[in-house]
Amino acid sequence: MIKVTIAIAVYNVEKYVEKCIDSVLNQDFSDYEVLVVDDRGKDNSINLIEKMAQSHPNGEKIRIIHHEKNLGTGGVRNTCIDEARGEYLYFMDGDDYLAPNSIRLLYEAMIANNADIVIGNHQRIFPDGRIDYNSNYKQGKCVSEYAIAEWIRKNNIVYYHVATWNKLFRTSLLRDNGVRCVPWHRQEDIYFALQTAFAIKSVVTIPDITYYWVQVQGSCMNQDTTEWHLNQYLDIFDKSMA
């Protein structure tokens, strides 16, 4: 079995996707696949990835799945859970990129601690290279019935970043617990995080920056909050209580 699936959501990211894929194919870790999910964008992103699959020395690691229609990020995450061939699963978005040692550091921490999830730090960065902020998780481990909640309490975490990316998951944990995202929902990360919070029994954090979160103008993360967005939050709470 492949050790790690790096699963990438791709939708209209042609300005950034080559840097993303290049950072993945140049990891100092060899036993992984690159699962690209094409969510039916209207630009040249997938063509660029196909060219890289042909030209890059590690291009054979790329496997592309094409959605029949656009399902949004939540639908992409579900496809990744279903289709991953790796023992461990790592999500990322097609406009972000990795440090060269990201997967190795996360995988080594996973194996050393027999964890359900390993979380690295991330840097929020603008396309011109300006840094907005760095997350600041310390080296740590928590084993508990509700490990995520206990880790947050013990470490006085004021803000737990619920994004699915930059977390290495045990793939079987997601499948055995039926963890899913809601297709075409802006808050798919929150729903996902609530489900995994009940399933995860061991969490490990490492201090290294392993993920670069690029702030793309006009992305869903840079939109003003409206009544529609608030209703999306309420819908997530309803689904979580069902």
Side-chain angles (χ1 to χ4, degrees):
M1 175 182 266
I2 296 170
K3 290 178 180 176
V4 176
T5 292
I6 304 172
I8 306 175
V10 173
Y11 179 78
N12 290 347
V13 288
E14 66 178 354
K15 291 182 180 179
Y16 311 97
V17 74
E18 288 177 291
K19 184 172 184 175
C20 170
I21 298 296
D22 193 62
S23 76
V24 172
L25 294 179
N26 289 325
Q27 289 293 297
D28 64 357
F29 181 86
S30 60
D31 197 351
Y32 67 94
E33 68 163 345
V34 184
L35 177 60
V36 172
V37 179
D38 168 21
D39 202 32
R40 290 299 178 186
K42 300 183 185 302
D43 68 357
N44 201 39
S45 296
I46 294 300
N47 289 334
L48 293 173
I49 296 172
E50 289 174 340
K51 289 179 181 178
M52 294 186 75
Q54 295 296 320
S55 62
H56 195 282
N58 290 325
E60 77 282 352
K61 293 182 181 295
I62 296 175
R63 178 163 60 100
I64 302 175
I65 292 178
H66 302 278
H67 277 172
E68 292 184 2
K69 61 180 180 180
N70 177 252
L71 296 177
T73 307
V76 169
R77 303 295 193 226
N78 290 341
T79 298
C80 295
I81 293 171
D82 293 338
E83 297 292 337
R85 295 172 180 169
E87 186 176 0
Y88 303 100
L89 178 56
Y90 184 85
F91 297 105
M92 64 183 300
D93 291 336
D95 47 7
D96 301 331
Y97 60 97
L98 304 182
N101 58 357
S102 295
I103 301 303
R104 176 177 57 81
L105 292 174
L106 294 164
Y107 178 80
E108 288 176 350
M110 175 72 78
I111 297 303
N113 295 279
N114 192 30
D116 289 330
I117 179 177
V118 179
I119 307 171
N121 279 298
H122 66 270
Q123 183 174 93
R124 178 166 157 158
I125 191 168
F126 294 99
D128 62 6
R130 288 179 297 120
I131 297 170
D132 188 6
Y133 73 85
N134 297 342
S135 63
N136 192 31
Y137 299 144
K138 308 299 183 183
Q139 184 82 40
K141 178 180 180 180
C142 184
V143 179
S144 170
E145 180 67 18
Y146 300 108
I148 291 290
E150 186 69 9
W151 167 70
I152 290 172
R153 184 187 68 81
K154 283 185 174 180
N155 292 278
N156 297 313
I157 302 297
V158 176
Y159 175 61
Y160 171 56
H161 205 278
V162 298
T164 56
W165 45 250
N166 202 32
K167 299 174 175 72
L168 186 63
F169 293 94
R170 188 185 301 276
T171 307
S172 61
L173 175 120
L174 302 179
R175 291 174 176 167
D176 292 349
N177 289 278
V179 175
R180 308 298 285 176
C181 288
V182 184
W184 253 119
H185 204 294
R186 186 175 185 268
Q187 308 303 334
E188 82 285 338
D189 289 345
I190 295 177
Y191 186 55
F192 183 97
L194 287 170
Q195 293 173 85
T196 55
F198 288 101
I200 291 168
K201 308 304 179 190
S202 57
V203 55
V204 169
T205 52
I206 61 175
D208 310 82
I209 293 176
T210 49
Y211 194 87
Y212 294 91
W213 179 24
V214 181
Q215 296 305 285
V216 178
Q217 188 67 30
S219 72
C220 66
M221 295 303 297
N222 287 298
Q223 295 175 0
D224 293 334
T225 300
T226 65
E227 183 177 355
W228 179 83
H229 294 119
L230 295 175
N231 287 332
Q232 290 259 295
Y233 281 108
L234 292 174
D235 182 54
I236 287 296
F237 289 127
D238 287 342
K239 292 181 185 300
S240 300
M241 297 298 291

